Every structure is written in structure tokens, then in C-alpha cells.
Amino acid sequence: MESSVEHLPSSLPVDNPTTPFWRTELHELDEHRSSPELPHKSDIVIIGAGHAGVSIAYHLLKSDKDAEGEPKSSITILEARQVCSGATGRNGGHLRPDLYGRIPKYMKRHGVEAAAEVGNFEVAHIQAFNKLISEENIDCDLVITRSMNVYLNADEANQARETYESLAAQGLSFTDDIQYTSGKLAEAASGIKDAKACLSCTAGSLWPYKLVTSLLTKVLETGAVNLQTLTPVTSVTSEAPDSHRVHTPRGSIRTKKVVYATNAYTFGLLPEYRESIVPCRGICCHIALPEGQEPPSVSYTYILGTEDRNGSSYLISRPDRTIIVGGAQKSFKGFRNQWYNVVDDSTLIEPARSYYDGYMQRTFRGWDTTDAHVKEIWTGIMGYSYDSLPHVSDIPGRPGQYICGGFDGHGMPIIFLAARGLAQMIRMGKKFEEVNLPRLYKSTAERLRAAQNGKEGGDILA
């Protein structure tokens, strides 16, 4: 019997999104279609051409060669809008392991060993990106530096110290890279006015759109991948574990395997994930100075708290010394209809519209007299996970179908190596437990039920 899942209203990206800084220099593949018509069939169909979808294709091709070195499987990537026009093309460009926010939470819920797997996995992305960019000769403005978590509230600073000491006491290897600074030294070390404490670790920044389009260029050069942009998927029907049909307004494709790299928009095609991966709108902006005005140096990336402990901001300094900063939850968290379960990135979050005006002047030492101003501001739709963990595995109850999503606004230190593990499952038929992914990433029926039966919003609204 054929089963069908139709997309729900308002489950597709809108046609006229705000323009992020990252998409101000468009690549020739931005609206690419490898063929005028959709292929009638493809061994693998990947839904989504952001960081996840393109990375999965890249890893599939790396592991899928015949004796002559030619790809054995055909792959089709379907994208509702342009390449990298979703969350990846709208994020903060921040490659940062979250070692003292999420990891302690996972330790309490799942134990030290499971939490350590996640921490080590995120840390491994620093070296993985270094290696990838070197081997593939990718120009995406990668800078490896340190990331500062800065605390402006004394109680929060004390909690940060306790967290650091608790992690160190567990003997976790990644704690060797964490440095805690408090008191008067915190402001000098971080460059942030009135800092009470800061924690730092190795991190990086990059131009995400350039990374994805560079990888996409590599996979298309093989001839094994057919990219179809401006082609939203409206439903997927399944006749057998190795026989699926992916439907679009331009026709349908028969395939053996389907990969959902749809993140925040997953619920439209997989309604069982409606409570597990919730679309949440965020805001980000690009801050620059007038031409000829030299900005003070900002050497690190940041997570910046607020004095009243009400939200935070993430920030990077680009090689051209302009700033990307986003978050601003303090300004809009109470206006739930502005951000929770929202898929429209065509308008700004109104309470946050002016939040970053004068932000550098009031936050960073040495910026007081500059004319730093918001040059571009945009919104993006993140896939927030009910339990703060991504879903990366085969899909429970749907043979031949796979998911890679729910990154909780934290995809950069998760996606690339997660895609490698998932590609091994898809290509080689390996089980989840055989591909070196953190055990907590597996999408299980138990996780889906917990989200469906748990308190509304889970971690998202906590």
C-alpha cells in the first residue's frame, strides 16, 4: 500500500526573504539547475541545499567510487529557494564548540560519557574544517581564534566558574583548552566593558555561503549530482523500503533513498517531527564603520551575556574588521508570536529591529567614539530541537529515509562531521552505532514521543 505525507500549510520557505550580508556576493550556482527538467529517477534524493544537504552529498561522493574512481550512485539535490538561502546563509559565521553551555546539561541528563562524545565531536570540527579547506582549496575566510563567553552578572560569573571546575573535575580532554578569567582581568582579557568573568576556548569564524557554494562546485564537477534550485518538495510517497517518490510542482522523482536536510521546515514533510524540530526566527546583522574610519581591533569571537541575564548575543569580527552580531533574545523573547513556530524570514523581528544600534559603542572598550552602525540586518529560521540535540540518523518507521536537522541554532560545529557519519549509513548501509556519531544524535521513536508528550516547547521555551 502506498503511503503519502502532504506538506502542511506554511511549511515551505517564503519567496521574498530578507537579504543577509553573506548573500550580497552571489555565486554562479545560486539558482542553478543541472538540467532543464527533473530527472525521472535518482539513487538518492537530498532535500535541501544548505550546509547539511551539500555536506551529505560531498561525503557520499567521497565514499562512493567504483574501481576506476567514478561515482557509482546518482544524487539529486532539491532546494526550495536558492542555494544556501536558509539558516546556513543567515547565521553568524561562528564555528564554536559549546563546551560550557550544552555539555553540562547533557551530563546531567545523559551522563558524562554521552556528553563527552558531543563535546569531543564539536571540538573535532575545528581540525576538520582546517583540513577540508586546505585539501579542497576553499576560500571562505576561515579564521581560527578563541571564543569568549563573557558574563556581566556576578552570580552568572560565579556559576561559570563552578561549571568550569565541574567539567575539569571530570577529566574531560577538551577542558585543557578552556581558560577561565575573572575579576578585573576579565574586562582586560575580553575587551568587554564591565565583564565579571569570561571563559574561552578555541573557535573560528568563516563565510558560510562561500563554504557551501565551494563544496557544491566540487560535487557538481563529478557529474554524479543534479542540482535543482527553486524546486520545493511538497510530499514524499513510499511504496517499499527502497522505492520512494519525491513530489514537486515541477514533477516527481523516483528514488531508493530520501534524505531530509530541511531543518526548520522538516515538519511539513515529516509531521511526526512537528514538536521535535520547531521553526524559530532569529535576527542577525552586519556592523561596519564609515569608509576611512579605522575600527578598534576585535581579536576573538564572542557569546555575550547581559547584566540582567536575559538572553545573549553571538559575535564575530571578520577579516575586513567589520562585525557580524546576532541573538538579541532580550528584546523579543516575550513576544512569542514574533519568533516561535515562525517560518517567515521576509520581515524583521520588530522588537529587535534597533537592538544593535550603538551596540559596539556601549559594549566594547575603545569603540565609544566610533561611528559603527548596522549596515545590513536580516532574519533567519532556525530548527530548534525540543531536547537541544540534533536528529542525525535513519528515520524511525520510515525505511530508506534519513534526517539531518534540528541543530538548535548551533549547526556549524555539528553538521559537517554529522553529514559524514550519515553518508556512511546511506551509502554503506551501516547502522547508526557503527559510524562514530554521538549516541545522543540518533533520532529515535522515544525522542519523538517525548517531544509529543512533554511540556510545551521543551528546552526551546525554557
Side-chain angles (χ1 to χ4, degrees):
M1 179 182 293
E2 182 174 285
S3 63
S4 176
V5 177
E6 295 296 334
H7 86 272
L8 302 173
S10 302
S11 64
L12 292 171
V14 300
D15 294 331
N16 56 336
T18 53
T19 302
F21 165 76
W22 307 121
R23 290 183 49 80
T24 54
E25 297 180 18
L26 296 181
H27 193 275
E28 61 184 1
L29 295 176
D30 195 62
E31 294 189 356
H32 182 76
R33 288 179 176 175
S34 300
S35 58
E37 306 295 331
L38 294 182
H40 295 297
K41 63 180 181 178
S42 181
D43 292 321
I44 302 166
V45 170
I46 299 171
I47 308 171
H51 188 10
V54 173
S55 294
I56 292 166
Y58 174 81
H59 287 298
L60 282 170
L61 291 170
K62 293 282 281 189
S63 62
D64 182 32
K65 302 289 178 67
D66 60 20
E68 285 72 41
E70 295 297 320
K72 291 187 290 184
S73 299
S74 59
I75 302 169
T76 299
I77 303 175
L78 302 176
E79 170 55 50
R81 295 192 302 207
Q82 299 83 5
V83 168
C84 198
S85 60
T88 308
R90 299 170 178 279
N91 70 23
H94 206 178
L95 177 61
R96 169 191 166 270
D98 188 355
L99 302 181
Y100 20 83
R102 297 166 188 267
I103 300 306
K105 178 192 298 184
Y106 301 154
M107 286 172 58
K108 291 179 181 178
R109 293 179 179 177
H110 308 288
V112 174
E113 188 176 320
E117 288 177 1
V118 176
N120 290 326
F121 188 78
E122 292 192 12
V123 168
H125 277 76
I126 304 296
Q127 182 58 36
F129 271 84
N130 258 331
K131 181 179 179 183
L132 169 71
I133 286 164
S134 174
E135 289 182 350
E136 299 290 5
N137 193 27
I138 292 173
D139 178 11
C140 63
D141 290 355
L142 177 67
V143 175
I144 302 301
T145 178
R146 292 187 70 80
S147 182
M148 290 275 184
N149 263 51
V150 181
Y151 306 94
L152 303 180
N153 176 283
D155 290 339
E156 195 172 30
N158 289 332
Q159 288 181 9
R161 176 182 51 78
E162 293 171 2
T163 296
Y164 166 68
E165 291 174 349
S166 174
L167 288 170
Q170 298 295 336
L172 302 176
S173 59
F174 55 75
T175 59
D176 292 342
D177 184 48
I178 300 175
Q179 181 175 351
Y180 177 77
T181 306
S182 63
K184 294 181 179 179
L185 293 176
E187 182 172 330
S190 66
I192 303 300
K193 297 176 181 179
D194 299 321
K196 302 297 187 293
C198 56
L199 284 165
S200 70
C201 67
T202 301
S205 63
L206 70 160
W207 191 311
Y209 179 79
K210 287 185 176 181
L211 169 70
V212 172
T213 52
S214 295
L215 280 181
L216 188 59
T217 299
K218 301 290 182 182
V219 303
L220 291 178
E221 286 173 349
T222 67
V225 175
N226 187 307
L227 169 66
Q228 296 287 329
T229 63
L230 304 174
T231 307
V233 173
T234 54
S235 66
V236 176
T237 57
S238 300
E239 298 173 344
D242 62 349
S243 179
H244 314 279
R245 190 172 288 278
V246 180
H247 302 276
T248 83
R250 299 175 55 221
S252 63
I253 306 174
R254 187 168 293 283
T255 184
K256 298 175 183 177
K257 298 178 180 179
V258 182
V259 186
Y260 298 83
T262 44
N263 201 28
Y265 301 91
T266 299
F267 71 93
L269 297 170
L270 299 172
E272 64 265 42
Y273 283 86
R274 174 171 283 278
E275 291 83 14
S276 293
I277 303 176
V278 178
C280 293
R281 187 164 62 161
I283 198 158
C284 193
C285 68
H286 176 220
I287 292 178
L289 277 75
E291 187 174 351
Q293 191 172 115
E294 191 73 12
S297 176
V298 176
S299 302
Y300 309 115
T301 72
Y302 290 88
I303 299 294
L304 298 162
T306 58
E307 188 173 357
D308 59 5
R309 305 179 65 176
N310 187 14
S312 62
S313 294
Y314 52 85
L315 181 147
I316 69 168
S317 175
R318 291 196 8 83
D320 64 3
R321 301 180 75 177
T322 62
I323 302 295
I324 303 292
V325 60
Q329 295 97 333
K330 176 179 179 177
S331 65
F332 65 83
K333 190 171 183 179
F335 299 90
R336 184 169 157 181
N337 66 319
Q338 290 275 329
W339 65 276
Y340 182 78
N341 210 14
V342 174
V343 297
D344 185 355
D345 54 9
S346 67
T347 60
L348 297 179
I349 302 174
E350 284 304 317
R353 178 185 288 270
S354 60
Y355 184 83
Y356 289 111
D357 292 345
Y359 184 77
M360 297 304 292
Q361 290 91 330
R362 66 177 182 266
T363 306
F364 280 78
R365 300 202 314 179
W367 285 73
D368 308 67
T369 59
T370 71
D371 296 314
H373 61 279
V374 173
K375 190 174 181 182
E376 291 97 8
I377 185 169
W378 60 91
T379 53
I381 310 301
M382 297 168 283
Y384 267 73
S385 170
Y386 178 86
D387 56 12
S388 299
L389 288 160
H391 291 258
V392 185
S393 69
D394 52 328
I395 297 175
R398 294 180 181 268
Q401 301 188 49
Y402 304 83
I403 186 169
C404 188
F407 304 115
D408 226 39
H410 186 60
M412 294 308 295
I414 295 175
I415 291 172
F416 186 70
L417 294 180
R420 183 179 68 180
L422 191 63
Q424 293 172 355
M425 296 179 64
I426 298 166
R427 166 70 185 92
M428 304 174 191
K430 289 187 175 184
K431 296 180 180 179
F432 175 89
E433 291 74 17
E434 299 175 320
V435 298
N436 296 319
L437 287 172
R439 71 189 75 173
L440 301 180
Y441 287 6
K442 185 174 183 178
S443 191
T444 64
E446 289 75 17
R447 287 182 67 191
L448 298 182
R449 281 196 296 270
Q452 292 161 2
N453 300 329
K455 65 180 182 180
E456 185 185 12
D459 285 348
I460 306 166
L461 294 176

